[in-house]
């Protein structure tokens, strides 16, 4: 029987992966690592990591090529399985036999409000947050799903003012008074003084951040190097965000 289009695409990517390994081996003979690495980042992490990650990549791997894609965790998991991505940072990833998943940290989510809103400093109960207009990504964004699940557990549901899938646009709309956002602190670190950050309690909103790779493909040395850079700069991004309070 004729293979499906999806199966054919996966087969083609397997061949390309083998070619990439051969190219890398040739590069090693010349004394340098080469090849292409495709990384997937959630938008909030991309804002905090892309500049430093690409700068270090170019310094350490001048003969290699880096591709960075922003996306939702569920779509990036699919792209890891079908070979479009080599490495991805994921929120609350689903355990799958096709993926190797390494938990990195628990991300604490905060309510983000414009300074002009004048909210009193200090944490807010999740039940209070449920009464506030939210500018939040559409389903199945991992943060949106976490917010809905935790609010449902206390008999509440979010008051959605706008559904927006881009972190930059969300922050622009919050600054313009369209509502509040729920984001990790490092997503706002590049906007000092524009927003007030409020912890959320009863319960806290904690999101697992993990790095994932394919369990079905052998990883090139170039990919392994980039994997280590992802571990390093995920931690740095979180530390910088927490330090910006």
């Amino acid at each position: 029987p004729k293979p499906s289009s999806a199966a054919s695409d996966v087969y083609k990517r397997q061949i390309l992966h083998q070619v990439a390994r051969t190219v890398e081996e040739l590069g090693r003979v010349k004394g340098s690592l080469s090849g292409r690495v495709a990384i997937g980042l959630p938008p909030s992490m991309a804002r905090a990591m892309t500049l430093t990650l690409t700068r270090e990549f170019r310094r350490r791997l001048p003969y290699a090529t880096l591709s960075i894609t922003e996306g939702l965790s569920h779509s990036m998991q699919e792209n890891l399985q079908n070979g479009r991505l080599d490495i991805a940072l994921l929120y609350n990833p689903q355990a799958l036999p096709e993926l190797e998943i390494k938990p990195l940290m628990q991300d604490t989510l905060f309510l983000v409000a414009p300074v002009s809103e004048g909210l009193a400093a200090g944490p807010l109960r999740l039940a209070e947050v449920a009464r506030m207009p939210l500018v939040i990504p559409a389903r199945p964004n991992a943060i949106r799903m976490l917010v809905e699940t935790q609010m449902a557990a206390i008999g509440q549901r979010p008051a959605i003012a706008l559904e927006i899938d881009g972190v930059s646009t969300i922050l622009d709309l919050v600054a313009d008074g369209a509502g509040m956002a729920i984001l990790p602190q490092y997503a706002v670190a590049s906007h000092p003084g524009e927003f007030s950050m409020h912890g959320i309690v009863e319960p806290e909103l904690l999101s697992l951040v993990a790095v994932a790779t394919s369990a079905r493909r052998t990883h090139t040395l170039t990919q392994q190097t980039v994997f280590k850079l992802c571990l390093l700069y995920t931690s740095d991004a979180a530390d910088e965000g927490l330090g910006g309070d």
Side-chain angles (χ1 to χ4, degrees):
K2 184 178 181 181
S4 68
S5 175
S8 178
D9 287 345
V10 170
Y11 177 73
K12 290 176 184 176
R13 290 191 184 91
Q14 289 173 343
I15 297 299
L16 289 172
H17 181 75
Q18 292 170 6
V19 171
R21 291 187 63 194
T22 301
V23 170
E24 183 185 65
E25 289 298 324
L26 292 172
R28 290 174 62 195
V29 171
K30 298 177 182 178
S32 62
L33 291 178
S34 60
R36 178 181 181 274
V37 183
I39 302 177
L41 299 176
S44 57
M45 296 293 289
R47 288 174 60 83
M49 286 180 58
T50 297
L51 183 60
T52 50
L53 180 61
T54 54
R55 184 182 294 142
E56 190 65 14
F57 177 91
R58 293 167 63 191
R59 187 181 74 82
R60 296 196 188 195
L61 301 164
Y63 298 103
T65 302
L66 179 65
S67 170
I68 296 179
T69 301
E70 293 186 29
L72 300 179
S73 291
H74 81 286
S75 61
M76 290 194 293
Q77 285 196 183
E78 293 176 0
N79 287 336
L80 283 170
Q81 292 174 261
N82 62 34
R84 288 188 175 91
L85 291 176
D86 301 307
I87 303 166
L89 292 175
L90 306 173
Y91 284 115
N92 303 320
Q94 179 184 358
L96 296 171
E98 297 88 352
L99 300 182
E100 292 180 356
I101 295 173
K102 179 180 177 62
L104 298 180
M105 63 183 182
Q106 289 273 24
D107 233 356
T108 302
L109 302 182
F110 293 80
L111 182 82
V112 181
V115 171
S116 60
E117 187 69 23
L119 286 181
L124 297 164
R125 292 182 297 108
L126 187 60
E128 296 177 280
V129 175
R131 296 193 291 271
M132 297 178 176
L134 294 179
V135 182
I136 195 167
R139 300 174 184 170
N141 174 275
I143 290 177
R144 169 69 177 269
M145 302 307 293
L146 177 64
V147 169
E148 289 192 349
T149 299
Q150 294 290 58
M151 284 191 179
I154 61 170
Q156 302 287 337
R157 59 194 308 176
I160 308 297
L162 291 168
E163 290 185 334
I164 304 292
D165 284 332
V167 173
S168 296
T169 306
I170 286 175
L171 291 175
D172 287 344
L173 289 165
V174 170
D176 196 51
M180 321 289 185
I182 295 177
L183 293 167
Q185 194 164 2
Y186 51 74
V188 191
S190 60
H191 299 266
E194 291 185 44
F195 303 99
S196 61
M197 306 287 293
H198 305 267
I200 300 172
V201 296
E202 298 180 25
E204 284 187 287
L205 296 183
L206 299 174
S207 183
L208 174 68
V209 179
V211 61
T213 58
S214 171
R216 302 286 174 86
R217 296 191 300 275
T218 303
H219 307 302
T220 68
L221 287 177
T222 304
Q223 291 168 356
Q224 293 172 33
T225 301
V226 175
F227 181 89
K228 292 174 184 176
L229 290 178
C230 286
L231 299 183
L232 173 65
Y233 287 112
T234 300
S235 175
D236 284 354
D239 289 345
E240 289 175 10
L242 291 174
D245 191 10

